[in-house]
PDB file of all heavy atoms in Angstrom:
ATOM      1  N   PRO A  40      -6.438 -31.840  -4.282  1.00  0.00           N
ATOM      2  CA  PRO A  40      -6.268 -32.871  -5.333  1.00  0.00           C
ATOM      3  C   PRO A  40      -4.839 -33.383  -5.504  1.00  0.00           C
ATOM      4  O   PRO A  40      -4.627 -34.444  -6.067  1.00  0.00           O
ATOM      5  CB  PRO A  40      -6.714 -32.131  -6.604  1.00  0.00           C
ATOM      6  CG  PRO A  40      -7.543 -30.986  -6.145  1.00  0.00           C
ATOM      7  CD  PRO A  40      -7.008 -30.593  -4.808  1.00  0.00           C
ATOM      8  N   THR A  42      -2.447 -32.423  -7.490  1.00  0.00           N
ATOM      9  CA  THR A  42      -2.001 -32.523  -8.886  1.00  0.00           C
ATOM     10  C   THR A  42      -0.963 -31.464  -9.228  1.00  0.00           C
ATOM     11  O   THR A  42      -0.359 -31.506 -10.303  1.00  0.00           O
ATOM     12  CB  THR A  42      -3.196 -32.351  -9.846  1.00  0.00           C
ATOM     13  OG1 THR A  42      -3.795 -31.085  -9.563  1.00  0.00           O
ATOM     14  CG2 THR A  42      -4.211 -33.456  -9.695  1.00  0.00           C
ATOM     15  N   ASN A  43      -0.799 -30.487  -8.339  1.00  0.00           N
ATOM     16  CA  ASN A  43       0.177 -29.402  -8.549  1.00  0.00           C
ATOM     17  C   ASN A  43      -0.014 -28.705  -9.892  1.00  0.00           C
ATOM     18  O   ASN A  43       0.954 -28.402 -10.600  1.00  0.00           O
ATOM     19  CB  ASN A  43       1.617 -29.931  -8.448  1.00  0.00           C
ATOM     20  CG  ASN A  43       1.894 -30.540  -7.096  1.00  0.00           C
ATOM     21  OD1 ASN A  43       1.264 -30.175  -6.097  1.00  0.00           O
ATOM     22  ND2 ASN A  43       2.810 -31.491  -7.045  1.00  0.00           N
ATOM     23  N   CYS A  44      -1.275 -28.484 -10.285  1.00  0.00           N
ATOM     24  CA  CYS A  44      -1.535 -27.901 -11.613  1.00  0.00           C
ATOM     25  C   CYS A  44      -1.221 -26.415 -11.675  1.00  0.00           C
ATOM     26  O   CYS A  44      -1.022 -25.847 -12.742  1.00  0.00           O
ATOM     27  CB  CYS A  44      -2.993 -28.128 -12.008  1.00  0.00           C
ATOM     28  SG  CYS A  44      -4.143 -27.162 -10.985  1.00  0.00           S
ATOM     29  N   GLY A  45      -1.213 -25.733 -10.534  1.00  0.00           N
ATOM     30  CA  GLY A  45      -0.865 -24.312 -10.509  1.00  0.00           C
ATOM     31  C   GLY A  45      -2.013 -23.365 -10.820  1.00  0.00           C
ATOM     32  O   GLY A  45      -1.824 -22.149 -10.851  1.00  0.00           O
ATOM     33  N   ASP A  46      -3.217 -23.883 -11.071  1.00  0.00           N
ATOM     34  CA  ASP A  46      -4.342 -23.011 -11.447  1.00  0.00           C
ATOM     35  C   ASP A  46      -4.741 -22.035 -10.336  1.00  0.00           C
ATOM     36  O   ASP A  46      -5.412 -21.046 -10.588  1.00  0.00           O
ATOM     37  CB  ASP A  46      -5.580 -23.844 -11.833  1.00  0.00           C
ATOM     38  CG  ASP A  46      -5.369 -24.579 -13.144  1.00  0.00           C
ATOM     39  OD1 ASP A  46      -4.371 -24.267 -13.825  1.00  0.00           O
ATOM     40  OD2 ASP A  46      -6.193 -25.459 -13.480  1.00  0.00           O
ATOM     41  N   CYS A  47      -4.350 -22.318  -9.113  1.00  0.00           N
ATOM     42  CA  CYS A  47      -4.702 -21.433  -7.993  1.00  0.00           C
ATOM     43  C   CYS A  47      -3.711 -20.287  -7.843  1.00  0.00           C
ATOM     44  O   CYS A  47      -3.884 -19.418  -6.993  1.00  0.00           O
ATOM     45  CB  CYS A  47      -4.718 -22.235  -6.699  1.00  0.00           C
ATOM     46  SG  CYS A  47      -3.155 -23.087  -6.407  1.00  0.00           S
ATOM     47  N   CYS A  52       0.191 -27.861  -4.648  1.00  0.00           N
ATOM     48  CA  CYS A  52      -0.945 -27.957  -3.722  1.00  0.00           C
ATOM     49  C   CYS A  52      -0.477 -27.699  -2.294  1.00  0.00           C
ATOM     50  O   CYS A  52      -1.198 -27.113  -1.490  1.00  0.00           O
ATOM     51  CB  CYS A  52      -1.590 -29.338  -3.814  1.00  0.00           C
ATOM     52  SG  CYS A  52      -2.361 -29.655  -5.400  1.00  0.00           S
ATOM     53  N   PHE A  55      -0.207 -24.052  -1.720  1.00  0.00           N
ATOM     54  CA  PHE A  55      -1.546 -23.472  -1.585  1.00  0.00           C
ATOM     55  C   PHE A  55      -2.134 -23.806  -0.204  1.00  0.00           C
ATOM     56  O   PHE A  55      -2.765 -22.965   0.445  1.00  0.00           O
ATOM     57  CB  PHE A  55      -2.445 -24.018  -2.711  1.00  0.00           C
ATOM     58  CG  PHE A  55      -3.833 -23.444  -2.712  1.00  0.00           C
ATOM     59  CD1 PHE A  55      -4.051 -22.097  -2.968  1.00  0.00           C
ATOM     60  CD2 PHE A  55      -4.932 -24.254  -2.465  1.00  0.00           C
ATOM     61  CE1 PHE A  55      -5.331 -21.565  -2.962  1.00  0.00           C
ATOM     62  CE2 PHE A  55      -6.219 -23.732  -2.461  1.00  0.00           C
ATOM     63  CZ  PHE A  55      -6.425 -22.380  -2.711  1.00  0.00           C
ATOM     64  N   CYS A  69      -8.916 -22.598  -5.813  1.00  0.00           N
ATOM     65  CA  CYS A  69      -8.640 -23.913  -6.410  1.00  0.00           C
ATOM     66  C   CYS A  69      -9.916 -24.410  -7.081  1.00  0.00           C
ATOM     67  O   CYS A  69     -10.862 -24.812  -6.408  1.00  0.00           O
ATOM     68  CB  CYS A  69      -8.192 -24.920  -5.356  1.00  0.00           C
ATOM     69  SG  CYS A  69      -8.129 -26.618  -6.017  1.00  0.00           S
ATOM     70  N   PRO A  70      -9.948 -24.393  -8.425  1.00  0.00           N
ATOM     71  CA  PRO A  70     -11.179 -24.803  -9.113  1.00  0.00           C
ATOM     72  C   PRO A  70     -11.415 -26.316  -9.074  1.00  0.00           C
ATOM     73  O   PRO A  70     -12.458 -26.786  -9.506  1.00  0.00           O
ATOM     74  CB  PRO A  70     -10.950 -24.323 -10.556  1.00  0.00           C
ATOM     75  CG  PRO A  70      -9.473 -24.197 -10.704  1.00  0.00           C
ATOM     76  CD  PRO A  70      -8.891 -23.969  -9.344  1.00  0.00           C
ATOM     77  N   HIS A  71     -10.436 -27.056  -8.557  1.00  0.00           N
ATOM     78  CA  HIS A  71     -10.538 -28.520  -8.595  1.00  0.00           C
ATOM     79  C   HIS A  71     -10.839 -29.144  -7.231  1.00  0.00           C
ATOM     80  O   HIS A  71     -10.832 -30.367  -7.102  1.00  0.00           O
ATOM     81  CB  HIS A  71      -9.227 -29.105  -9.137  1.00  0.00           C
ATOM     82  CG  HIS A  71      -8.723 -28.377 -10.334  1.00  0.00           C
ATOM     83  ND1 HIS A  71      -9.412 -28.370 -11.532  1.00  0.00           N
ATOM     84  CD2 HIS A  71      -7.636 -27.582 -10.511  1.00  0.00           C
ATOM     85  CE1 HIS A  71      -8.745 -27.612 -12.405  1.00  0.00           C
ATOM     86  NE2 HIS A  71      -7.681 -27.127 -11.804  1.00  0.00           N
TER      87      HIS A  71
HETATM   88 FE1  SF4 B 673      -3.487 -27.953  -6.293  1.00  0.00          FE
HETATM   89 FE2  SF4 B 673      -5.898 -26.886  -6.712  1.00  0.00          FE
HETATM   90 FE3  SF4 B 673      -3.722 -25.314  -6.743  1.00  0.00          FE
HETATM   91 FE4  SF4 B 673      -4.117 -27.087  -8.712  1.00  0.00          FE
HETATM   92  S1  SF4 B 673      -5.396 -25.325  -8.242  1.00  0.00           S
HETATM   93  S2  SF4 B 673      -2.179 -26.664  -7.588  1.00  0.00           S
HETATM   94  S3  SF4 B 673      -5.096 -28.745  -7.612  1.00  0.00           S
HETATM   95  S4  SF4 B 673      -4.503 -26.480  -5.019  1.00  0.00           S
END
Side-chain angles (χ1 to χ4, degrees):
T42 58
N43 300 334
C44 69
D46 290 349
C47 56
C52 294
F55 183 65
C69 170
H71 315 295

